[in-house]
Amino acid sequence: MEVKTSLLDNMIGVGDMVLLEPLNEDSFIENLRNRFDHNEIYTYIGSVVISMNPYRSLPIYTPQKVEEYRNRNFYELSPHIYALADEAYRSLRDQDKDQCILITGESGAGKTEASKLVMSYVAAVCGKGQEVNKVKEQLLQSNPVLEAFGNAKTMRNDNSSRFGKYMDIEFDFKGDPLGGVISNYLLEKSRVCKQPRGERNFHIFYQLLSGASDDTLMKLKLDRDFSKYNYLSLDSANVNGLDDAASFRTVRNAMQIVGFMEAEVQSVLELVAAVLKLGNIEFKPESRINGFDESRVKDKNDLKEMCELLGIEQSVLERAFSYRTVEAKMEKMSTTLNVAQAYYARDALAKNLYSRLFSWLVTRINESIKAQAKTRHKVMGVLDIYGFEIFEDNSFEQFIINYCNEKLQQIFIELTLREEQEEYIREDIEWTNIEYFNNAVICDLIENNQNGILAMLDEECLRPGTVTDDTFLDKLNTICAEHQHFESRLSKNSKFLTDHSLPHSCFRIQHYAGKVLYRVEGFVDKNNDLLYRDLSQAMYKATHSLMRQLFPEGNPAKVNLKRPPTAGFQFKASVGVLMKNLQTKNPNYIRCIKPNDKKVAHIFTDSLVCHQVRYLGLMENVRVRRAGYAFRQPYESCLERYKMLCKKTWPQWRGPTRDGVEVLLTDCSVPSEEFAYGRSKIFIRNPRTLFTLEERRRACLEDLATLIQKIYRGWKSRTHFLLLKKSQVVVAAWYRRYAQQNKYQKIKSATLVMQSFIRGWKARNILRQLKYEKRCKEAVTTIAAYWHGTQVRREYRKFFRANAGKKIYDFTIQRIMQKYFLGLKTTTMSPMDNTWPTQPYGFLEGAHTELRRIFHLWRCKKYRGQFTEEKKSVYEEKLEASEIFKDKKALYPSSVSQPFKGDYLEIQKNPKYQKLNGAVEEKVLLADLVNKINRANGKGSPRLFLLTKSNFVLADQKTGQVKASVPLPDLASVSVSTQSDGFFALKLKEGSASASKGDFLLSSEHLIEIITKLHRIGTTAADRDQINIDISDEFLVQFKQDKVCVKFIQGGPKNGNSAACKRKNNRLLEVSVPSP
């Protein structure tokens, strides 16, 4: 059975501030402190989640926690950010309602981490699959990229988001993510050029210098030393707990997962390096003839390296830092820039370059993560934006941020009231008008199109003539003097003339979160956010792949003389679009609070928390929520939780749940004005009523627990007694069995002993009788044997002397011959084995020799019987070669061990010789590669030598064309030398048809086999004479008309160990054969 839990179970303090009693600021702060001290960092205000930054890791974000909050009612478990994320996701998936999660709070309160937790929870509970997992991974990995380029270390937060981010995550009808769209707001680009003391520039600069490889830094012309770059603050370059090198690797990996190409990553890093190089450019004044100073670049090395990174001509950028071109209608005028103006232009370029790069990154990420399908999607938006900021020195940035927070507070109050009103109407409860502070008047003071502060700032920026921050303040003092939320010491309102807390160059606005003093210095410049057209055009001329996308206004063909929109105008338009977007979605709120300014755990600063509670309007939120009914709950849950308070509803109510709740509240005597019945919920007006019910439930649960304990103990005792009784019966039965078994074993063992003794006595008597009978038989046999022996000896003695000698001789000879024949068994069956046992006795001489001869013939016959016809033919050829060349030619011994293969060219298989094979009609007995010796120079030409039964053929090695075909009857003799060479001469018969071409002088590695086969063919042929074999170191060869002597000599040829032929004269060829 599933155990039902509730927000009210095991509650530390009050989990929902709506139930806080009494409700005041002190009790509110004390409740937050109490829960924070017990590691309960989440608290509800109705459906709003308050998140305290613990500044340490807590074990409350495990996969088990994700499963615990999955598909559970919002108030079913203790407060957690997962509960809000699950409620938003289920509403989107099941009810088809677009959702938005608004995360607000000041820097360091944990907004970025809260947005990551929401996204990771949604990624964990939505569907699975290869494509879905890829989309989820890309959405999650977009965070490290944006954090690297948009976050920085500040006094309040080591990873502070210096931009506002709104992400729309798109889902299909199943609730699986399809993609997303990211919008960014107001990047703090002034941080690129200057950071307050104790703070850092954006993370990416430090990550690049710390984590990039030496090769990458060399390509980017950078050095790892932070101190070499003016734009990087040195007092806070290294931050405890931040590993910039590891973060850089994480960013590179994340960019790869999101879909950045390697070339795009390199282009982005080049722009980051260019910003660092830009900060090192310094200027010096140079006097001109007209008396004005002109700026000049001091050291051009950094300028040169930056221009190389961006692909800009150095002279173009150097001129843009020294001159400014002003265009008005048809006129164009060039003015010089002094040193201060040059530094302003440099910083403006750096800020614009980095800001536009960041906007390009957001656009590029959107291209990768956007949904591909064109159908309508469900959308969940996550807004992570600056909280309300009140510093000692507040400028234009704080004014814009606080304006955005005013708009968010306005929509928060409107949507919260609308949600309350819709629920009351849905449940048919009478609506009570709720009084609250409407900050629309403050929003109107700032954004009114005619006399709002932003409109007057834009008007002042566009006004011709001298425009300063003071003229802007004068205009404010004139127009806004009577506004109840505007304060200035120079205004016409006399009550602020003596207010010394209000300086002359400042104005103060009473925001919903408190009064904020703004210093007017820099308002006009920051709102203008001008970049000289010369610099834009210089950037557009760069060959870098991104520069034309970042500076489209620099295109000379599209010069626009119209002034670009101001920063305030752009931000106001962006906020307007954001507000319209949020109003179309169901809101979910996370209010982030930081407990202390030291960024350490376990410290809770009351004053700091109280300040944040005030400007976040949390008390106002609770009052709005409690203006009607403080607590509401479905009838089923209410009856399930409190049914034990009434005997009629306990343990099970059989009728409708609403009737059960009515019976329950009537029985508990709850006054009728303290609750109201809706269609599906019970509404309780005062938290005190709810806590009274909880106290009664707790007391009732204790009585029930006592009753359960009593029944359980009784059941346990009875069960134990029955178990003991059953055990006693079992033990007694086993003991009786054991006793009887022991008694039986004793009787059995005694019987066996008696039986063994009796059997032993009988066996000994029988043995004794048998031994006596055996001795008697043995005695009779012995006496009979001796008697028969005596009788035989008497008879034999008569014949012994006449025949004994001959018998002994025959026996001895028989034994000797037997031993001799047994000794012959060790002889092997190999015909090559000449071993034979030695002759043991002289009388065996003739038999010994004859047996050896007969045995050798017999084993030779056995050996020959194993030969196949093919093998016999090979041995016959080997035998014939022996008869021809043995002891006559030095080459013969080396050929004995080599088998006669015949076809060395594989002429039947090789397609190269297919034509040649067709030209030879008979079976080829031998095919080999030979060298035909030329009489002119003694050099050889490779030829194919083919031998059949009727002729031999010489053919070209490459083409296979037949050069000569000679019938064997035309062959008279063959001449070879006695040396180890392979030369042989084929001499033709005089007058034959083939003799006209002359004899053939050839050389081959298989000479022995070739001549043997020629001789064998001549021997076996009946129609021709036998071929003569002439073995001599000097013989004549007929070359057409001339006879040439071929002479063989021993010596070392120059070309190695083979024989070499050399022409000596017209009548002599000399063959040098290596010495053996």
Side-chain angles (χ1 to χ4, degrees):
M1 177 176 139
E2 184 181 1
V3 179
K4 298 291 184 181
T5 56
S6 171
L7 169 72
L8 301 171
D9 290 328
N10 303 319
M11 187 167 57
I12 297 172
V14 178
D16 190 344
M17 289 294 188
V18 176
L19 305 178
L20 186 63
E21 193 68 27
L23 176 62
N24 53 56
E25 195 173 79
D26 293 337
S27 62
F28 193 98
I29 302 300
E30 183 58 33
N31 188 51
L32 288 178
R33 170 192 280 277
N34 185 22
R35 292 179 61 78
F36 179 79
D37 291 342
H38 290 84
N39 295 328
E40 293 288 341
I41 62 172
Y42 296 113
T43 308
Y44 291 156
I45 302 178
S47 59
V48 178
V49 176
I50 302 175
S51 172
M52 301 285 290
N53 191 344
Y55 288 116
R56 62 192 178 99
S57 297
L58 294 177
I60 59 175
Y61 307 108
T62 60
Q64 292 78 14
K65 277 288 181 183
V66 171
E67 290 301 318
E68 184 179 339
Y69 279 86
R70 187 173 185 173
N71 294 328
R72 302 295 286 268
N73 185 278
F74 186 76
Y75 296 102
E76 192 171 341
L77 299 173
S78 59
H80 201 290
I81 195 172
Y82 284 170
L84 180 136
D86 187 74
E87 182 76 12
Y89 176 70
R90 285 191 293 115
S91 297
L92 175 136
R93 182 192 63 192
D94 301 336
Q95 302 176 20
D96 201 19
K97 292 182 179 179
D98 288 349
Q99 304 289 316
C100 63
I101 299 177
L102 308 182
I103 307 173
T104 56
E106 71 173 52
S107 180
K111 300 187 300 298
T112 302
E113 287 301 316
S115 66
K116 290 180 185 177
L117 289 171
V118 170
M119 292 177 64
S120 64
Y121 178 85
V122 173
V125 300
C126 64
K128 301 293 186 291
Q130 183 176 359
E131 192 63 30
V132 173
N133 289 339
K134 178 184 177 182
V135 172
K136 291 193 290 188
E137 189 67 15
Q138 286 186 333
L139 290 173
L140 293 175
Q141 290 300 325
S142 64
N143 281 324
V145 179
L146 295 179
E147 285 184 16
F149 287 87
N151 288 23
K153 188 265 181 189
T154 65
M155 293 296 293
R156 299 185 176 186
N157 186 3
D158 291 342
N159 187 32
S160 176
S161 297
R162 307 318 299 159
F163 70 104
K165 181 179 74 172
Y166 177 74
M167 174 184 282
D168 267 335
I169 307 173
E170 300 177 342
F171 298 83
D172 63 9
F173 70 96
K174 301 189 301 294
D176 294 340
L178 296 174
V181 178
I182 299 174
S183 302
N184 65 301
Y185 302 96
L186 194 66
L187 176 72
E188 188 189 15
K189 57 186 178 183
S190 60
R191 181 171 292 272
V192 174
C193 304
K194 183 179 180 182
Q195 307 90 40
R197 186 172 183 81
E199 298 189 4
R200 294 204 317 177
N201 210 324
F202 292 102
H203 290 326
I204 187 61
F205 295 112
Y206 305 92
Q207 292 173 357
L208 175 61
L209 297 180
S210 301
S213 63
D214 294 335
D215 184 51
T216 301
L217 291 180
M218 185 179 299
K219 291 179 180 178
L220 298 177
K221 309 180 187 306
L222 295 177
D223 193 281
R224 292 197 189 277
D225 188 2
F226 297 155
S227 62
K228 294 186 177 181
Y229 304 101
N230 297 334
Y231 278 168
L232 302 184
S233 59
L234 300 180
D235 54 341
S236 301
N238 297 311
V239 181
N240 293 333
L242 284 183
D243 186 348
D244 290 320
S247 298
F248 182 74
R249 292 190 293 271
T250 302
V251 171
R252 289 293 298 265
N253 182 57
M255 294 179 79
Q256 183 178 2
I257 292 174
V258 170
F260 282 81
M261 306 298 290
E262 190 61 34
E264 292 177 322
V265 175
Q266 184 64 26
S267 297
V268 170
L269 296 182
E270 287 172 353
L271 293 187
V272 174
V275 172
L276 290 175
K277 289 292 182 182
L278 189 59
N280 288 351
I281 298 175
E282 296 183 350
F283 303 95
K284 61 182 179 181
E286 185 176 290
S287 299
R288 299 187 65 188
I289 300 175
N290 57 9
F292 292 99
D293 286 340
E294 180 182 332
S295 68
R296 283 283 183 262
V297 177
K298 280 186 181 179
D299 184 1
K300 298 185 180 181
N301 185 52
D302 286 309
L303 178 66
K304 176 185 175 183
E305 291 181 347
M306 177 195 166
C307 291
E308 289 175 355
L309 285 172
L310 299 182
I312 306 175
E313 291 186 18
Q314 183 176 340
S315 58
V316 173
L317 189 58
E318 188 174 0
R319 175 176 174 78
F321 283 136
S322 300
Y323 297 91
R324 178 188 178 189
T325 303
V326 180
E327 297 183 30
K329 294 184 180 180
M330 302 301 293
E331 296 182 5
K332 183 183 294 187
M333 182 177 62
S334 179
T335 61
T336 60
L337 300 179
N338 57 32
V339 172
Q341 290 172 328
Y343 276 115
Y344 173 83
R346 180 200 69 176
D347 291 345
L349 177 60
K351 289 186 289 186
N352 273 273
L353 181 59
Y354 191 82
S355 173
R356 297 182 189 201
L357 172 63
F358 185 79
S359 298
W360 179 87
L361 279 172
V362 173
T363 304
R364 179 63 182 82
I365 291 173
N366 285 338
E367 290 177 3
S368 294
I369 67 175
K370 67 180 179 181
Q372 301 299 324
K374 302 298 183 181
T375 57
R376 180 188 177 278
H377 307 138
K378 303 176 183 180
V379 177
M380 177 184 289
V382 180
L383 177 65
D384 173 10
I385 202 164
Y386 308 99
F388 202 88
E389 291 189 350
I390 306 177
F391 299 146
E392 291 183 4
D393 187 7
N394 301 289
S395 186
F396 179 74
E397 291 85 1
Q398 284 69 44
F399 175 75
I400 291 294
I401 290 168
N402 292 344
Y403 160 63
C404 180
N405 278 271
E406 286 285 357
K407 296 293 290 184
L408 288 175
Q409 178 68 10
Q410 184 182 22
I411 195 172
F412 168 68
I413 295 296
E414 290 178 359
L415 292 178
T416 302
L417 289 176
R418 186 176 70 187
E419 183 183 357
E420 286 283 301
Q421 185 176 6
E422 287 177 353
E423 184 170 20
Y424 284 173
I425 295 173
R426 187 169 57 249
E427 293 294 330
D428 201 15
I429 300 294
E430 184 179 353
W431 169 251
T432 304
N433 189 34
I434 301 173
E435 294 294 333
Y436 66 96
F437 169 68
N438 189 344
N439 67 338
V441 61
I442 303 176
C443 296
D444 184 71
L445 169 66
I446 298 173
E447 68 180 4
N448 189 284
N449 290 330
Q450 295 185 359
N451 54 7
I453 296 177
L454 286 176
M456 286 186 284
L457 180 59
D458 287 349
E459 183 180 332
E460 193 67 14
C461 291
L462 299 174
R463 181 175 61 83
T466 303
V467 177
T468 64
D469 296 318
D470 292 333
T471 59
F472 165 63
L473 183 59
D474 291 340
K475 178 171 277 191
L476 290 183
N477 292 332
T478 303
I479 297 177
C480 302
E482 302 299 326
H483 198 285
Q484 57 181 338
H485 294 278
F486 178 84
E487 301 175 5
S488 173
R489 195 166 180 182
L490 300 178
S491 67
K492 298 178 181 179
N493 197 332
S494 59
K495 65 179 181 180
F496 300 117
L497 294 176
T498 58
D499 188 353
H500 296 288
S501 65
L502 190 58
H504 289 281
S505 61
C506 299
F507 65 92
R508 187 160 54 203
I509 295 179
Q510 187 175 346
H511 290 282
Y512 76 92
K515 294 183 178 181
V516 182
L517 182 69
Y518 296 103
R519 186 175 300 277
V520 79
E521 181 182 353
F523 262 61
V524 173
D525 284 342
K526 292 176 180 178
N527 189 50
N528 271 324
D529 192 24
L530 287 178
L531 179 67
Y532 296 151
R533 183 175 291 111
D534 300 76
L535 290 173
S536 297
Q537 293 177 349
M539 292 297 105
Y540 187 82
K541 293 177 182 178
T543 59
H544 192 276
S545 59
L546 296 181
M547 295 307 291
R548 293 199 172 189
Q549 300 178 47
L550 302 185
F551 294 90
E553 74 276 11
N555 187 354
K558 298 180 180 180
V559 175
N560 187 3
L561 300 181
K562 186 178 179 180
R563 192 181 184 91
T566 62
F569 178 84
Q570 294 179 51
F571 187 73
K572 175 183 173 183
S574 300
V575 169
V577 172
L578 176 63
M579 294 305 121
K580 289 180 180 178
N581 192 356
L582 295 179
Q583 285 177 341
T584 63
K585 295 178 174 61
N586 185 49
N588 303 270
Y589 299 95
I590 301 174
R591 303 295 205 181
C592 297
I593 295 177
K594 67 176 184 178
N596 59 78
D597 271 330
K598 298 179 180 180
K599 297 183 284 189
V600 294
H602 307 296
I603 296 180
F604 188 96
T605 306
D606 290 4
S607 57
L608 178 63
V609 174
C610 181
H611 169 71
Q612 295 172 82
V613 168
R614 287 175 182 170
Y615 80 65
L616 287 173
L618 299 184
M619 290 293 295
E620 188 80 13
N621 189 5
V622 177
R623 291 190 183 98
V624 169
R625 184 76 181 187
R626 290 181 58 166
Y629 293 90
F631 184 77
R632 72 271 337 252
Q633 192 175 30
Y635 290 126
E636 294 81 0
S637 301
C638 181
L639 186 60
E640 181 69 25
R641 185 168 184 81
Y642 300 112
K643 62 183 178 180
M644 71 286 298
L645 302 182
C646 176
K647 294 181 180 180
K648 297 178 182 179
T649 58
W650 177 259
Q652 192 69 37
W653 174 256
R654 300 296 180 185
T657 53
R658 172 168 176 165
D659 296 344
V661 173
E662 291 179 1
V663 170
L664 174 65
L665 295 180
T666 302
D667 190 72
C668 293
S669 303
V670 178
S672 59
E673 63 272 10
E674 287 295 323
F675 61 87
Y677 296 111
R679 295 181 184 274
S680 62
K681 295 180 181 179
I682 177 71
F683 287 77
I684 298 176
R685 186 179 299 277
N686 199 314
R688 196 177 298 110
T689 304
L690 179 65
F691 291 137
T692 301
L693 291 175
E694 281 294 314
E695 285 296 328
R696 295 181 62 177
R697 177 179 180 272
R698 194 174 295 111
C700 189
L701 287 178
E702 292 177 0
D703 295 339
L704 289 174
T706 304
L707 178 61
I708 292 171
Q709 287 177 348
K710 181 184 72 172
I711 294 172
Y712 172 72
R713 287 170 183 157
W715 170 82
K716 187 175 181 182
S717 298
R718 284 193 301 276
T719 304
H720 183 62
F721 168 73
L722 293 174
L723 182 61
L724 289 176
K725 184 178 179 180
K726 182 179 178 181
S727 301
Q728 185 271 333
V729 173
V730 173
V731 170
W734 277 87
Y735 176 75
R736 286 193 292 270
R737 176 187 175 188
Y738 169 75
Q740 290 298 322
Q741 284 178 340
N742 278 351
K743 184 178 179 181
Y744 167 75
Q745 291 294 337
K746 287 180 180 179
I747 295 172
K748 183 179 178 181
S749 61
T751 304
L752 291 175
V753 170
M754 290 177 65
Q755 286 177 347
S756 64
F757 271 99
I758 293 172
R759 291 190 185 111
W761 173 77
K762 286 183 177 182
R764 284 191 294 275
N765 282 343
I766 295 171
L767 180 62
R768 194 180 298 113
Q769 183 67 29
L770 291 174
K771 283 183 177 180
Y772 175 72
E773 291 177 359
K774 183 180 179 182
R775 282 197 300 272
C776 289
K777 289 180 180 181
E778 288 177 352
V780 171
T781 304
T782 303
I783 294 170
Y786 273 96
W787 169 249
H788 287 305
T790 303
Q791 291 294 106
V792 170
R793 282 191 295 275
R794 285 177 183 175
E795 292 292 326
Y796 187 73
R797 193 175 292 122
K798 301 175 183 179
F799 307 100
F800 180 75
R801 291 177 181 174
N803 300 318
K806 186 176 183 301
K807 288 184 178 290
I808 291 171
Y809 175 79
D810 292 340
F811 178 77
T812 302
I813 293 300
Q814 183 181 0
R815 292 298 298 166
I816 288 173
M817 294 299 293
Q818 184 181 12
K819 184 177 180 181
Y820 171 68
F821 284 126
L822 289 173
L824 295 179
K825 290 176 67 175
T826 59
T827 308
T828 64
M829 293 295 293
S830 174
M832 303 298 293
D833 187 8
N834 293 323
T835 60
W836 187 254
T838 57
Q839 178 181 327
Y841 300 101
F843 72 90
L844 294 174
E845 181 177 358
H848 185 74
T849 304
E850 187 65 18
L851 281 173
R852 180 175 184 178
R853 184 184 68 79
I854 294 171
F855 177 75
H856 181 69
L857 293 176
W858 174 76
R859 68 183 175 183
C860 287
K861 181 181 179 181
K862 295 285 285 185
Y863 183 76
R864 289 195 302 274
Q866 300 174 4
F867 288 174
T868 62
E869 291 299 326
E870 183 180 353
K871 197 169 184 182
K872 284 182 180 180
S873 176
V874 171
Y875 276 98
E876 287 173 356
E877 288 182 353
K878 283 287 185 180
L879 185 60
E880 192 165 344
S882 175
E883 293 173 354
I884 297 172
F885 295 106
K886 187 176 181 181
D887 298 330
K888 297 178 183 178
K889 184 165 178 63
L891 183 64
Y892 171 72
S894 62
S895 71
V896 173
S897 61
Q898 299 175 358
F900 287 172
K901 187 176 177 182
D903 187 4
Y904 292 95
L905 302 178
E906 295 184 347
I907 195 167
Q908 299 290 342
K909 301 178 182 179
N910 197 332
K912 180 179 178 182
Y913 304 128
Q914 186 174 2
K915 180 179 178 181
L916 180 61
N917 188 32
V920 179
E921 297 178 353
E922 295 179 291
K923 179 181 178 183
V924 176
L925 301 179
L926 184 142
D928 191 17
L929 181 66
V930 301
N931 283 321
K932 180 177 179 296
I933 307 303
N934 189 345
R935 65 165 290 187
N937 52 18
K939 295 184 179 179
S941 303
R943 293 288 187 270
L944 302 178
F945 182 83
L946 275 66
L947 177 63
T948 66
K949 285 187 177 182
S950 60
N951 57 7
F952 70 86
V953 178
L954 290 176
D956 187 82
Q957 180 196 10
K958 296 182 180 178
T959 64
Q961 181 180 0
V962 176
K963 295 291 186 179
S965 178
V966 179
L968 290 182
D970 294 350
L971 182 63
S973 64
V974 180
S975 297
V976 297
S977 72
T978 62
Q979 308 295 330
S980 59
D981 61 280
F983 286 83
F984 65 97
L986 301 178
K987 298 182 179 181
L988 305 179
K989 293 179 180 180
E990 294 183 4
S992 64
S994 304
S996 61
K997 296 182 180 180
D999 299 338
F1000 296 96
L1001 180 60
L1002 309 173
S1003 70
S1004 172
E1005 295 179 355
H1006 305 100
L1007 177 142
I1008 301 296
E1009 183 178 357
I1010 293 173
I1011 296 177
T1012 300
K1013 287 186 181 294
L1014 283 171
H1015 185 268
R1016 186 172 176 80
I1017 293 170
T1019 303
T1020 56
D1023 59 342
R1024 68 175 74 99
D1025 297 333
Q1026 184 175 347
I1027 299 173
N1028 294 324
I1029 308 299
D1030 178 25
I1031 302 176
S1032 173
D1033 286 343
E1034 187 172 332
F1035 51 80
L1036 294 176
V1037 179
Q1038 180 75 37
F1039 286 115
K1040 291 186 179 181
Q1041 303 299 325
D1042 301 326
K1043 287 189 178 181
V1044 177
C1045 178
V1046 180
K1047 186 178 182 180
F1048 294 83
I1049 61 171
Q1050 286 191 354
K1054 296 180 181 180
N1055 59 344
N1057 295 325
S1058 61
C1061 182
K1062 186 177 181 182
R1063 178 189 177 193
K1064 288 295 186 178
N1065 52 54
N1066 291 339
R1067 301 292 181 177
L1068 178 63
L1069 287 176
E1070 190 175 86
V1071 180
S1072 301
V1073 183
S1075 300

